[in-house]
Amino acid sequence: MRRGFWVDVLCATAMSAAMIAASPAADPDAGKKKAELCIGCHGENGISQMENIPSLAGQPDQFIQWQLVFFRSGARKNEQMQPIAEQVDNDDIRNLGAYFASLTPPKSTKPDDNPDLSQKGAQAAVGRRCASCHTDSFAGTKAVARIAGQREDYLLKALHDYKTGVRSGGGMAAMADVAYPLNDEEITALAHYLAQL
């Protein structure tokens, strides 16, 4: 039964990706209009003010698109996102990706209250080779998330979810391999460091 589910998910994902790739150019203005659905949780201009909710501003276009496809197909589970993702079609997904990618990403406005923890986080980022996927500036690229300046609480949650296998869909295998051996101190340090960037 599980095998059939994953076959369906893979087929749905492949078909959605093919439809997105074959569609005309994205319209960020249409994406902005559709993003009114997102403001309640992800904030004005894609900068979240809610605990454990990620900021979307400045995320790579393809990353946004893939996550919406994963939510819509059920490959990535989230009670709040699933019904919303089911309301967006392929044009919406493409437009939302372009819109959020066009926004100025969040940047920490407070001085670092724990530079020692940031230094440990920077060392953990090097040791776990985070830049090999997320780029040297941690701005992400293509289907890889921007993690620089992301909410610290959300980074903590995401790393714990990858470590425990709660999170699936997009990058799961790579992130599970990275997160599984992390201890709580490393996760805390990484989240703090990345949020300060």
Side-chain angles (χ1 to χ4, degrees):
M1 176 142 168
R2 262 183 84 68
R3 183 171 179 252
F5 168 77
W6 286 112
V7 169
D8 289 345
V9 166
L10 288 172
C11 288
T13 301
M15 289 185 339
S16 291
M19 288 186 283
I20 288 169
S23 298
D27 180 352
D29 290 331
K32 181 177 183 177
K33 186 172 181 182
K34 194 69 176 181
E36 291 173 9
L37 288 170
C38 313
I39 290 172
C41 293
H42 295 283
E44 290 284 340
N45 298 315
I47 298 178
S48 171
Q49 303 300 314
M50 291 184 67
E51 185 177 357
N52 291 324
I53 304 292
S55 291
L56 302 180
Q59 286 292 344
D61 185 348
Q62 288 181 29
F63 175 75
I64 294 288
Q65 289 187 51
W66 276 110
Q67 296 313 303
L68 287 168
V69 168
F70 290 137
F71 282 125
R72 188 174 67 180
S73 70
R76 184 170 172 195
K77 307 283 186 207
N78 181 285
E79 288 179 16
Q80 290 78 32
M81 279 300 302
Q82 197 95 29
I84 292 168
E86 288 170 358
Q87 297 176 41
V88 294
D89 62 24
N90 291 331
D91 288 337
D92 294 331
I93 288 174
R94 197 175 55 260
N95 295 338
L96 284 164
Y99 169 66
F100 284 116
S102 74
L103 298 176
T104 302
K107 189 155 181 70
S108 180
T109 56
K110 302 180 292 187
D112 188 349
D113 62 350
N114 195 338
D116 290 340
L117 189 60
S118 286
Q119 184 178 4
K120 289 178 185 173
Q123 292 167 347
V126 169
R128 298 300 175 186
R129 300 187 329 269
C130 299
S132 65
C133 293
H134 294 279
T135 74
D136 290 342
S137 63
F138 304 104
T141 182
K142 299 182 181 173
V144 178
R146 173 186 190 86
I147 51 179
Q150 186 56 269
R151 289 183 61 89
E152 188 170 344
D153 52 11
Y154 178 73
L155 290 167
L156 276 169
K157 177 185 183 317
L159 286 167
H160 280 292
D161 287 352
Y162 279 122
K163 180 179 174 69
T164 60
V166 168
R167 182 162 171 182
S168 62
M172 177 53 197
M175 280 305 303
D177 284 347
V178 170
Y180 183 74
L182 292 173
N183 61 41
D184 285 345
E185 184 181 353
E186 288 176 303
I187 288 175
T188 300
L190 263 173
H192 183 75
Y193 166 66
L194 294 167
Q196 301 304 309
L197 298 177

